[in-house]
Amino acid sequence: MLTFFSGGTGTPKLLMGMKRLLPPEDICVIANTGEDLVQSGVHISPDIDSVVYALAGIIDRDKWYGQRGDTYRTNDALSRLGHDELLRLGDKDRATKIYRTMLLGSGMTLSDATKRICEALGVKEKVYPMSNDKVRTIVRRGQEDLTFNEYWVRDRASGHVDEIVYSGSDHASLPQDAIYDIECSDAIIIGPSNPITSIGPILSIKDAKYFCKEKYTIAVSPIIGSSPLSGPAGRLMNDLGHEVSPLGVANLYDGLIDAIVIDTKDEAYEAILEDRGIKVLRTDIAMKDLYKSKALGRNILDFLVIN
Amino acid sequence: MLTFFSGGTGTPKLLMGMKRLLPPEDICVIANTGEDLVQSGVHISPDIDSVVYALAGIIDRDKWYGQRGDTYRTNDALSRLGHDELLRLGDKDRATKIYRTMLLGSGMTLSDATKRICEALGVKEKVYPMSNDKVRTIVRRGQEDLTFNEYWVRDRASGHVDEIVYSGSDHASLPQDAIYDIECSDAIIIGPSNPITSIGPILSIKDAKYFCKEKYTIAVSPIIGSSPLSGPAGRLMNDLGHEVSPLGVANLYDGLIDAIVIDTKDEAYEAILEDRGIKVLRTDIAMKDLYKSKALGRNILDFLVIN
């Protein structure tokens, strides 16, 4: 079994490839919940849903969130009523959020609610929230504390970020079932998601960090050269004084990873990383289509078998 | 100004006619909230929405609830997830419910939330909930207490009903703004809605009953011969020992009405009603289309001018 630490976009792309290479019982995903929010009365877990929709084969592969072919009738009607939603929810997507909210309201944990949603959508892989405890990623910009979505969606990553805080993580733990599955895993794969706001929140949980040290852990860089593949990773790493490169990513995972997957183009970093005792798999990491996702998955699995 | 006591279907039909005869500031509607419920996390006020959609000209005129041309994407997706909704909400219709829930959640009264929804949908007539206090219609069937929608939608009016209780009405009052508008009204029109579950809850509020006695009040029968025009009125009146006829309706409004509108076909009841001191307007009350709604409205207005 392999455990994946996942945010949105990059890691779901990788999971779509891995799904075609491994039986479902061999895939365990720990999804970031630091960006979770309540909007229009529903509990939104953006990264859990991206992972689940990707594994269910229904994700919108242009936007990498929401469902393919969804409509926006409720969202549009809400705008006409004068209630603009920060995250534009599709109609089918909203149903998932409503269902989760109902399950949580009935007293279920986020982890059990996620399991129920997976069953309903035919996802047999194991998908867990990073915690059933509330952990929220706070973006500190000058005197302001913003949620991730206020920073990224509302303000389009404007202004200089001074600090990122994972509020609540001191007292948060991984879900018990997730701990059991990670213990049974042969390796942990830190997916190619934003190291600061997608993987950072997961690693802020003590158990998660512990397992990275304990298990063979390999990170997939979300950056080629100095260009992040998606999202505000570059912007945030730069603001917080980290080099925007595969090396900067490795620094953020210092002491936690045994190996890193970097792009073919990034030969320059290979020796530096190996000097630091980090094994390097250099391959095409851009995942422009499903074929590329599967090829990257194949290369990672081959690498893991050897190492 | 005229004040209408309204449930769903019949009275909204009449209002669509009245809207074409009177300026908006001359129409005040008190809508039943005894059937209000929370479903999938949203506050549903079926009768308020039917009134508002009818006045906005967007009501589905086949079903007489929900919006014309609405889709059911979220509702269908919820069913696929295993969460069947008792009331099938359309996507645009759900937006109204979400918006109301947000407004109530921000501390607004139902009456102010209704005002805001009316503004957003361009409805200039005054629409009020019968109360900002919680009053719920309970259908007592043997040992069971059901909500109206459990009885009518889920159980399709099966079984013998022993009692109807308007729970909470002892301590409920009309909204303050509504009281002011009723005081300024020339007459109260009890619309052709179910006397037991649509009008009954409104009349269970002390102030509403008081105003019926105080003002010139005219009821429009929702029954022709022994056939109710829609809904479970006949079934419930029969179960509770009331004659299913315009006379049975008049009995339910005993001491509250000055006049009643009955169908042309119901000549048989005219003398009996007039003997009891209730003036009778006999005309076509079926409102099969908008033209008929307007004609009935016209006839009622002419009758009111004379009486």
Side-chain angles (χ1 to χ4, degrees), chain A residues 88-250:
Chain A
R88 193 162 180 251
L89 294 186
D91 297 316
K92 291 194 282 182
D93 188 24
R94 189 183 302 273
T96 309
K97 275 72 171 163
I98 292 173
Y99 187 50
R100 171 185 297 117
T101 309
M102 295 293 99
L103 296 175
L104 295 174
S106 76
M108 219 179 248
T109 60
L110 183 56
S111 152
D112 285 340
T114 304
K115 202 171 178 180
R116 188 71 79 83
I117 290 167
C118 282
E119 282 163 10
L121 294 175
V123 172
K124 295 193 174 66
E125 291 81 3
K126 289 156 180 147
V127 182
Y128 298 104
M130 65 185 198
S131 185
N132 286 319
D133 306 308
K134 185 173 169 176
V135 178
R136 291 294 173 267
T137 300
I138 306 291
V139 179
R140 209 153 263 176
R141 190 179 62 188
Q143 300 300 308
E144 288 178 295
D145 275 2
L146 310 173
T147 65
F148 175 77
N149 288 294
E150 285 169 342
Y151 168 71
W152 174 233
V153 182
R154 189 192 65 190
D155 296 351
R156 293 161 197 273
S158 72
H160 183 276
V161 171
D162 301 292
E163 197 187 354
I164 297 285
V165 178
Y166 310 114
S167 161
S169 71
D170 286 354
H171 306 288
S173 57
L174 296 167
Q176 199 49 53
D177 290 3
I179 290 179
Y180 179 79
D181 280 330
I182 303 175
E183 277 171 347
C184 296
S185 292
D186 302 298
I188 292 171
I189 298 179
I190 296 179
S193 294
N194 184 335
I196 311 266
T197 54
S198 297
I199 305 301
I202 304 177
L203 295 177
S204 76
I205 296 169
K206 210 173 53 185
D207 307 336
K209 212 170 215 162
Y210 164 81
F211 280 118
C212 285
K213 288 177 190 161
E214 201 70 6
K215 295 275 171 183
Y216 190 89
T217 299
I218 180 167
V220 183
S221 173
I223 294 175
I224 299 179
S226 59
S227 304
L229 290 157
S230 72
R235 189 63 198 261
L236 286 170
M237 287 176 73
N238 193 61
D239 281 4
L240 299 170
H242 303 287
E243 183 183 310
V244 184
S245 76
L247 191 61
V249 173

Side-chain angles (χ1 to χ4, degrees), chain B residues 188-205:
Chain B
I188 292 171
I189 299 178
I190 297 180
S193 295
N194 185 334
I196 311 266
T197 54
S198 298
I199 305 300
I202 304 176
L203 295 178
S204 76
I205 296 168

Side-chain angles (χ1 to χ4, degrees), chain A residues 39-42 67-71 73-75 77-78 80-83 85 90-99 102 116-117 120-121, chain B residues 39-42 67-71 73-75 77-78 80-83 85 90-99 102 116-117 120-121:
Chain A
Q39 175 186 283
S40 304
V42 292
Q67 294 187 27
R68 198 174 57 214
D70 211 346
T71 48
R73 304 286 299 250
T74 302
N75 177 277
L78 279 167
R80 283 193 299 274
L81 286 165
H83 177 74
E85 295 188 302
D91 297 316
K92 291 194 282 182
D93 188 24
R94 189 183 302 273
T96 309
K97 275 72 171 163
I98 292 173
Y99 187 50
M102 295 293 99
R116 188 71 79 83
I117 290 167
L121 294 175
Chain B
Q39 175 186 284
S40 303
V42 291
Q67 294 186 26
R68 199 173 55 214
D70 211 346
T71 50
R73 305 286 298 248
T74 302
N75 178 276
L78 278 168
R80 283 194 300 274
L81 286 165
H83 177 75
E85 295 188 301
D91 297 317
K92 291 194 282 182
D93 188 24
R94 190 182 301 274
T96 309
K97 275 73 171 162
I98 292 172
Y99 187 51
M102 296 293 100
R116 188 74 77 84
I117 290 167
L121 294 175

Side-chain angles (χ1 to χ4, degrees), chain B residues 7-18:
Chain B
T9 314
T11 316
K13 274 187 192 176
L14 178 60
L15 287 167
M16 287 188 82
M18 287 290 187

